[in-house]
Amino acid sequence: MKLQLAVVVALNLLFLSQAKAAPVPFGIVIHGGAGTISRDSMTPVQQQAYETTLKHAVDSGYQVLANGGSSLDAVSAAVVILEDSPLFNAGKGAVYTYDGKHELDAAIMRGDNRGAGAVAGVTTVKNPIKLARAVMERSEHVLLAGQGAELFAKEQQLELVKNNYFDTEFRYQALQKALKALSKTPHQAQLRLSPAFPLEWNVGTVGAVAIDQQGLLAAATSTGGMTAKRYGRIGDAPLIGAGTFADNQSCAVSATGHGEFFIRYQVAGDICARVRYQGKSASVAADEVMQELKTVGGLGGVIVVDNKGGLSWHLNSEGMYRAKRQQGKAAEVAIFKD
Ligand code: ASP
């Protein structure tokens, strides 16, 4: 009898320990910017080019996870591919500032110890996400800006390029349109909110969120910011809790859209706070936050991964370049809202 009891207890303990150790599925979600992206505004060739690059990026991140790599390596791998593509407003293909230059912002965060690194207004770093990661892992700081960030990049022996490496004809044309619109009004802040200054002039910020086989959450975002930005303007992407956030107790988020709103409404942090403190699912929390943002005029989207491996995307604009892939499943790629 005693022996039977001992066996039952032992089996239960074994079951419990296995249940506890049951891993959550790994997975990754990426975005390539949100905004006015409608079917009419794209040719089939353009659509194909975006879909191919998104798939390549999500599959590369997925492969890192499948090989047992960390979510930090997965989001970095995906974001570097998107930064190197001229299609997106990050790295090569970044939008132009008012002065015809490029100033790049990026951030990365890990969800276990809330380690984070970010850079703002860098002009010669080929892959700003690599610099953000160096800030997180090889400096005592979280956010470096401008010349200091460039100096750190040099010390870290990251690849540097001339600012015109980031040039593309498509973004140059967007700057010309923006400058024309701006010349007609001294009220820039008003104009940026009006249909005369559509979000598509900026669209293309990139980001990735992932969970790895160890359950570590990570988020990364990289952008050229907004077309014709001035005065050292910095967006939400490099601000922890605004455009980028990761916390193993809730979720990881990367955002894209009108940065000023995402900063003021702490979008990424707010989503994770609703999960952590209100017990909401990440998907419900993200839907709520994006709907609330829309009511105050903030357009864009977010990608989210929760600590149970749930992957989702949420947008209140017409479209968002995006892709996701969960353990054992095929990649899903999407552009339009429906
Ligand atoms: N959020 C970016 C910024 O405001 C722009 C974008 O995502 O389109 O800098």
Side-chain angles (χ1 to χ4, degrees):
M1 194 62 193
K2 263 190 185 159
L3 185 67
Q4 270 178 336
L5 193 66
V7 170
V8 169
V9 169
L11 280 174
N12 270 330
L13 282 175
L14 187 70
F15 175 76
L16 276 176
S17 70
Q18 278 179 345
K20 206 175 155 213
V24 297
F26 65 80
I28 178 165
V29 196
I30 64 169
H31 71 75
T36 323
I37 313 166
S38 61
R39 283 199 168 75
D40 317 336
S41 64
M42 287 185 103
T43 66
V45 174
Q46 283 171 327
Q47 188 175 333
Q48 178 74 48
Y50 278 101
E51 285 172 355
T52 304
T53 310
L54 287 167
K55 180 149 183 345
H56 175 45
V58 82
D59 282 345
S60 302
Y62 180 90
Q63 214 45 58
V64 171
L65 300 171
N67 292 341
S70 78
S71 52
L72 282 169
D73 288 342
V75 294
S76 301
V79 167
V80 164
I81 288 169
L82 299 172
E83 283 181 338
D84 289 345
S85 163
L87 295 174
F88 301 96
N89 172 18
K92 174 86 188 163
V95 297
Y96 286 78
T97 63
Y98 188 88
D99 300 321
K101 297 269 179 338
H102 308 276
E103 294 173 0
L104 313 174
D105 301 338
I108 191 164
M109 185 168 188
R110 57 185 299 154
D112 52 354
N113 60 5
R114 301 238 197 149
V119 292
V122 294
T123 56
T124 62
V125 180
K126 182 170 180 248
N127 291 107
I129 200 66
K130 290 188 184 172
L131 181 56
R133 186 148 179 200
V135 172
M136 175 172 79
E137 293 176 346
R138 291 182 251 144
S139 88
E140 55 184 310
H141 306 297
V142 170
L143 173 58
L144 301 182
Q147 284 181 357
E150 309 271 351
L151 178 62
F152 184 66
K154 215 184 237 175
E155 284 178 11
Q156 294 299 317
Q157 296 178 335
L158 292 181
E159 189 173 350
L160 303 180
V161 289
K162 291 217 166 71
N163 192 251
N164 65 8
Y165 157 81
F166 302 109
D167 285 359
T168 51
E169 180 59 25
F170 164 65
R171 298 296 183 191
Y172 184 73
Q173 292 309 328
L175 174 67
Q176 301 316 309
K177 288 183 209 160
L179 289 179
K180 206 166 158 201
L182 287 169
S183 70
K184 290 189 186 138
T185 171
H187 303 297
Q188 281 206 28
Q190 295 300 323
L191 180 66
R192 291 240 180 223
L193 295 176
S194 78
F197 208 101
L199 210 57
E200 79 231 28
W201 289 352
N202 318 308
V203 77
T205 288
V206 310
V209 292
I211 182 166
D212 62 28
Q213 295 190 27
Q214 270 63 51
L216 174 68
L217 294 181
T221 314
S222 180
T223 186
M226 295 185 102
T227 295
K229 65 183 182 181
R230 258 183 126 173
Y231 312 120
R233 180 265 186 191
I234 293 167
D236 57 315
L239 301 184
I240 299 305
T244 308
F245 193 68
D247 170 21
N248 274 10
Q249 303 209 43
S250 52
C251 55
V253 178
S254 169
T256 172
H258 196 151
E260 279 66 14
F261 287 86
F262 284 73
I263 293 170
R264 291 190 290 116
Y265 286 84
Q266 297 185 306
V267 167
D270 191 10
I271 292 169
C272 295
R274 289 176 196 221
V275 173
R276 185 163 171 192
Y277 302 120
Q278 297 184 324
K280 288 179 175 151
S281 74
S283 189
V284 165
D287 267 340
E288 278 180 8
V289 170
M290 291 313 294
Q291 282 319 313
E292 286 169 25
L293 202 67
K294 190 171 188 173
T295 62
V296 293
L299 294 181
V302 290
I303 50 171
V304 185
V305 55
D306 66 35
N307 61 7
K308 295 177 193 66
L311 311 177
S312 61
W313 46 51
H314 310 263
L315 52 154
N316 65 19
S317 58
E318 266 183 62
M320 175 162 75
Y321 301 109
R322 59 203 190 273
K324 63 181 170 183
R325 188 160 176 199
Q326 194 165 46
Q327 183 174 354
K329 297 196 178 149
E332 273 176 64
V333 180
I335 297 179
F336 311 108
K337 185 156 194 167
D338 43 42

